C-alpha cells in the first residue's frame, strides 16, 4: 500500500548511494520559502550513514522527516534566521574586536565575562527585543556581585560590544545600552592609594628580613634580591625599570 505524502513542505524525496554513504535528493513544494541565495527548489545532502540494507530500509521509512529536518536546518544559519538572538552574534562580536587588541589576557577575560555574566542573562533574547529596561535589569543583577566600578566597566564593555556589532551589521537600528550610563553609584570607586606608603621602620624591617627559612648568609649568596628590594623601596622605581638597569663602572 502506497503511503501518501502529507508533508506540507517536501514534495518528493529520492534516496541514492554515493561513496558508500546514503544521501537524499529532495524537492520542496511550490511557493515554499527558500534560504537566501537559493534559486531552485532541489536540495541534496548526505545522511552520513553507511549504506547497508538495514540502513536503507530505515532511511526509506523516514526520508520525508529527514528531508524536513535538513530543510529547517538551513534557516538556522545566521544569514537565514528570521529572529537573531543575542547569543547568535556574541562570539562573533568579541572575535572581531579581538583583532584590535593585542593583549591575550584581556581577550580571555572578556570571553569569561561573556560566558559567566552576560550570556546567562541575554543569550536567548532576540536582539530586536532588548530594551533599555533589560540593560538596567542586568546592571542591577551584576551589582549584587559588589564590584568596583573599574571591574564593572569591563562587563559593560562586553554587552556594548555585542550590541554595537548588531548595529553595525543591521540586526538592530540603535544600541539600547547607549542610554544606560556606565558609571553608577551601585559600584565602588577605586581607593586612593597615593597616601599609602611604608614608614621608615617598616622599610627597614623589609630590607633586613631574611624571608621564611632564610638566613643572613642568603643575602650574600643571592645579592640580586637584596639589591632589587633596596632600589625598589629607596627610589620607588617600577619592576620593569629596575630590570632594565645596567651596571656601569666608570
Amino acid at each position: 500500500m502506497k503511503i501518501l505524502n502529507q508533508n506540507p513542505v517536501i514534495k518528493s524525496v529520492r534516496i541514492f548511494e554515493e561513496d558508500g554513504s546514503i544521501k537524499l535528493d529532495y524537492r520542496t513544494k511550490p511557493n515554499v520559502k527558500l534560504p537566501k541565495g537559493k534559486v531552485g527548489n532541489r536540495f541534496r545532502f548526505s545522511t552520513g550513514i553507511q549504506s547497508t540494507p538495514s540502513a536503507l530500509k530505515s532511511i526509506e521509512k523516514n526520508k520525508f522527516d529527514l528531508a524536513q529536518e535538513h530543510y529547517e536546518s538551513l534557516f538556522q544559519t545566521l544569514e537565514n534566521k528570521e529572529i537573531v538572538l543575542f547569543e547568535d552574534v556574541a562570539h562573533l562580536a568579541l572575535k572581531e574586536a579581538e583583532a584590535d587588541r593585542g593583549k591575550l589576557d584581556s581577550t580571555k577575560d572578556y570571553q569569561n565575562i561573556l560566558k559567566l555574566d552576560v550570556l546567562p542573562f541575554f543569550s536567548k533574547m532576540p536582539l530586536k527585543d532588548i530594551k533599555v529596561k533589560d540593560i538596567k535589569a542586568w546592571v542591577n543583577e551584576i551589582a549584587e556581585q559588589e564590584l568596583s566600578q573599574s571591574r564593572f566597566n569591563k562587563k559593560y564593555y562586553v554587552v556594548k560590544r555585542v550590541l554595537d556589532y548588531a548595529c553595525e551589521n543591521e540586526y538592530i537600528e540603535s544600541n539600547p545600552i547607549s542610554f544606560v550610563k556606565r558609571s553608577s553609584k551601585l559600584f565602588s570607586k577605586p581607593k586612593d592609594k597615593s597616601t599609602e606608603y611604608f614608614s621608615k621602620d617598616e622599610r627597614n624591617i623589609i630590607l633586613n628580613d631574611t624571608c621564611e627559612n632564610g638566613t643572613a648568609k642568603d643575602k650574600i649568596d643571592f645579592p640580586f634580591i637584596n639589591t632589587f628590594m633596596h632600589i625598589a623601596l629607596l627610589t620607588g622605581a617600577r619592576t620593569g625599570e629596575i630590570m632594565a638597569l645596567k651596571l656601569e663602572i666608570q
Side-chain angles (χ1 to χ4, degrees), residues 36 52 67-68 165 208 237:
K36 290 181 180 179
T52 64
Q68 176 76 28
Y165 178 90
N208 293 319

Coordinates of all heavy atoms in Angstrom, one line a residue, residues 36 52 67-68 165 208 237:
K36 N 18.2 32.2 1.7 CA 18.8 33.3 0.9 C 19.9 32.8 0.0 O 20.7 31.9 0.4 CB 19.4 34.3 1.9 CG 18.3 35.1 2.6 CD 19.0 36.2 3.5 CE 18.0 36.9 4.3 NZ 18.6 38.0 5.2
T52 N 23.9 0.3 4.1 CA 23.7 -1.1 4.3 C 22.2 -1.4 4.1 O 21.4 -0.5 4.1 CB 24.0 -1.5 5.8 OG1 23.1 -0.8 6.7 CG2 25.5 -1.2 6.1
A67 N 14.3 14.8 5.3 CA 14.4 16.0 4.4 C 13.9 17.2 5.1 O 14.4 18.3 4.9 CB 13.6 15.6 3.2
Q68 N 12.8 17.1 5.8 CA 12.2 18.2 6.6 C 13.2 18.8 7.6 O 13.4 20.0 7.7 CB 10.9 17.8 7.3 CG 10.3 18.9 8.2 CD 9.5 19.9 7.4 OE1 9.0 19.6 6.3 NE2 9.4 21.1 7.9
Y165 N 28.1 45.6 17.5 CA 28.2 44.7 16.4 C 26.9 44.4 15.7 O 26.8 44.4 14.5 CB 28.8 43.4 16.8 CG 29.0 42.3 15.7 CD1 30.2 42.3 15.0 CD2 28.0 41.4 15.4 CE1 30.3 41.3 14.0 CE2 28.1 40.5 14.4 CZ 29.3 40.4 13.7 OH 29.5 39.5 12.7
N208 N 65.8 44.2 56.0 CA 66.6 43.4 56.9 C 66.0 42.0 57.1 O 66.7 41.1 57.7 CB 66.8 44.0 58.3 CG 67.6 45.3 58.2 OD1 68.6 45.4 57.5 ND2 67.2 46.3 58.9
A237 N 61.2 53.0 42.1 CA 61.3 52.6 40.7 C 60.4 51.3 40.5 O 60.2 50.5 41.4 CB 62.7 52.2 40.3

